[in-house]
Amino acid sequence: MIKRGLQNIFSVPIYTTFLDIKLADEIERLVISRLNNLEQVLSQKTDFFLKEKIISPEELSSFFHYVDPIISKYSNESNINRSNTINYWIQDYSKNESHSSHTHGGNRISGVYYIRANSSAGNLKFTNPNPLFNTTDLKEPNVKNEINVEIPPQKGLLVLFPGWLLHETLASLKEDCIRTCLAFNVQ
């Protein structure tokens, strides 16, 4: 029901939080030792296309146990239905590596968890889903009316968003960049 006065409609729910540092350290130790098992695909290293993930679901059980209530909270607050099926993959980026603008298709909820990252890592960039938004002349842009919103990766950061939202991983331009993440979809 539309009421009188200004209302923000068609909002996009993005949720960010940090994992417990002990769990973050545990996951980092587990993943870092196996990064050489990732396959180079276009402009990133990933196990997305590999039959066997470099880290098994059993090895990540503490991670999924920790994030499950966070996903449920996001689902409840955003009104996006969730399932209990989660597909995940590991991505690692070096200098000049990126992931072009894309969505996660029919997946309801998508997420990125930063296993490790430093200040040289390229940001996660979300694009406003309104295709004509950039024709609006705004007095003061803010996070609710920007064309793009960028989130700097940080170790332990979890980002949840609708799977249909256009996003990309910007290239890291420095040699010393560190950016490894666990990406997932809740189907």
Side-chain angles (χ1 to χ4, degrees):
M1 173 93 172
I2 297 294
K3 301 174 189 173
R4 290 182 187 203
L6 178 66
Q7 296 173 63
N8 287 315
I9 61 174
F10 305 126
S11 65
V12 179
I14 304 292
Y15 188 90
T16 61
T17 190
F18 283 89
L19 267 65
D20 174 78
I21 190 64
K22 288 181 183 178
L23 179 57
D25 288 343
E26 174 188 321
I27 294 167
E28 182 179 20
R29 280 190 300 275
L30 181 65
V31 172
I32 298 310
S33 65
R34 300 186 196 173
L35 287 179
N36 60 342
N37 296 327
L38 294 174
E39 137 181 276
Q40 184 75 39
V41 177
L42 300 174
S43 189
Q44 73 264 339
K45 293 170 282 303
T46 184
D47 65 358
F48 183 82
F49 300 102
L50 297 177
K51 188 175 182 178
E52 300 273 333
K53 302 297 180 203
I54 66 168
I55 306 297
S56 72
E58 295 77 26
E59 292 173 297
L60 288 172
S61 63
S62 59
F63 170 78
F64 289 116
H65 180 74
Y66 187 94
V67 301
D68 188 67
I70 298 169
I71 294 169
S72 291
K73 179 179 178 170
Y74 173 79
S75 172
N76 291 335
E77 291 179 7
S78 67
N79 202 30
I80 299 174
N81 285 328
R82 67 162 293 180
S83 74
N84 290 323
T85 303
I86 297 178
N87 291 326
Y88 69 92
W89 59 98
I90 305 292
Q91 306 249 131
D92 188 59
Y93 299 85
S94 299
K95 181 183 179 189
N96 296 325
E97 293 182 335
S98 62
H99 196 144
S100 61
S101 190
H102 65 285
T103 69
H104 291 195
N107 294 287
R108 297 173 185 163
I109 298 171
S110 294
V112 177
Y113 168 69
Y114 289 99
I115 296 166
R116 64 182 190 154
N118 66 9
S119 60
S120 297
N123 292 343
L124 173 61
K125 178 177 145 183
F126 292 106
T127 300
N128 190 322
N130 180 341
L132 300 176
F133 192 80
N134 61 353
T135 64
T136 305
D137 187 20
L138 302 170
K139 290 181 184 178
E140 279 189 49
N142 61 50
V143 74
K144 289 183 180 179
N145 61 27
E146 288 283 348
I147 294 171
N148 298 301
V149 172
E150 294 184 19
I151 298 177
Q154 298 175 57
K155 177 182 174 176
L157 176 64
L158 174 67
V159 182
L160 300 175
F161 53 95
W164 53 259
L165 183 60
L166 194 62
H167 61 284
E168 65 185 285
T169 302
L170 299 177
S172 301
L173 303 177
K174 296 183 180 178
E175 286 292 335
D176 70 335
C177 72
I178 295 173
R179 180 178 53 200
T180 305
C181 65
L182 183 153
F184 60 91
N185 291 317
V186 181
Q187 302 192 321

